[in-house]
Amino acid sequence: SVVEDTPKSYTAAASSSSGDNVRKGAAGHVAAGVPPEHIMMIQKSAAQISTATNNTRDLHDRVVSFQDDWKQVINRPKPSVLTPQALENNVKSLIMDYDRVKDEISRRDELIKSLDDRNRDLQKRVDKAAMIAQQLLDEKVKTVESSSDSKLEKDRVIMKLQEEINRAANERDDAVSYTHLTLPTKRIV
């Protein structure tokens, strides 16, 4: 049934009393990747689904109550001898009860259909919001990975250039040392 298939997480999200629209991770830091607007939209959708579920439960209770009343009317003891006028009144009463029940069932069927349509629409909205949130999270992960890869490549280039600078400096120092050793020193006489 619609009532029993409603996930508990929807009603739990809808009944959150903290008022916080920002999710927090295990360490208490703000969760990244899902904008607060999307979380708020998901929470509003969950609240609407919860309301629709409660309405469906109420409707179900009313139908059960009506069904019990109808059974009492049907199972009421039949009089052994009725006058034609009493029989006519009983038949009219039954016809009126039947018409009333028929109208009530028709009205409730329309209400149930309306609630089902609304639940499907809300579920589509929640699914779409969750999909968008996941796409944004995936994009963020890709961006972070790309940024990290770029930083690593930049660090490698810097290290390579630093090694070349050190090698050139060592070669220069060696050349200066060699030049000082091979040059003849002049004596002043």
Side-chain angles (χ1 to χ4, degrees), residues 32-112:
V34 181
E37 300 85 9
H38 290 173
I39 296 297
M40 188 182 312
M41 186 174 76
I42 290 171
Q43 287 174 342
K44 284 181 181 178
S45 296
Q48 291 174 346
I49 290 171
S50 177
T51 301
T53 301
N54 289 336
N55 289 342
T56 304
R57 283 185 186 138
D58 291 343
L59 178 61
H60 179 265
D61 293 343
R62 289 180 188 163
V63 167
V64 168
S65 173
F66 176 77
Q67 192 176 28
D68 292 342
D69 292 343
W70 178 252
K71 284 179 183 176
Q72 286 176 357
V73 168
I74 296 297
N75 295 330
R76 138 172 78 186
K78 310 290 188 262
S80 57
V81 178
L82 291 176
T83 65
Q85 183 64 32
L87 184 59
E88 183 181 341
N89 287 341
N90 279 346
V91 169
K92 285 181 181 177
S93 173
L94 285 175
I95 290 173
M96 287 176 24
D97 284 346
Y98 174 78
D99 288 343
R100 181 181 58 82
V101 167
K102 184 179 169 186
D103 291 344
E104 184 67 20
I105 288 174
S106 174
R107 187 182 69 78
R108 290 182 183 205
D109 283 344
E110 289 175 12
L111 180 61
I112 288 173

Side-chain angles (χ1 to χ4, degrees), residues 21 24 33 47 53 61 80 86 98-99 121 137 155 178 183 187:
N21 290 330
K24 294 192 176 184
T53 301
D61 293 343
S80 57
Y98 174 78
D99 288 343
D121 182 49
L137 184 60
D155 288 346
Y178 181 75
L183 288 178
R187 292 190 181 177

Side-chain angles (χ1 to χ4, degrees), residues 46 54 65 91 98 104 115-117 121 133 144 166 186 188-189:
N54 289 336
S65 173
V91 169
Y98 174 78
E104 184 67 20
L115 287 173
D116 284 343
D117 291 345
D121 182 49
V144 167
N166 289 342
K186 290 186 182 180
I188 301 180
V189 194

Side-chain angles (χ1 to χ4, degrees), residues 32-33 134-149:
Q134 185 61 44
Q135 286 174 345
L136 291 172
L137 184 60
D138 291 345
E139 286 179 22
K140 179 184 177 202
V141 167
K142 286 179 186 175
T143 302
V144 167
E145 287 174 355
S146 174
S147 171
S148 178
D149 290 346

Side-chain angles (χ1 to χ4, degrees), residues 157-189:
V157 169
I158 289 173
M159 287 177 63
K160 187 176 178 181
L161 289 173
Q162 187 64 43
E163 286 175 6
E164 289 179 16
I165 289 171
N166 289 342
R167 192 176 332 118
N170 287 339
E171 288 175 5
R172 185 198 64 204
D173 290 344
D174 289 346
V176 168
S177 295
Y178 181 75
T179 308
H180 283 295
L181 290 176
T182 57
L183 288 178
T185 50
K186 290 186 182 180
R187 292 190 181 177
I188 301 180
V189 194

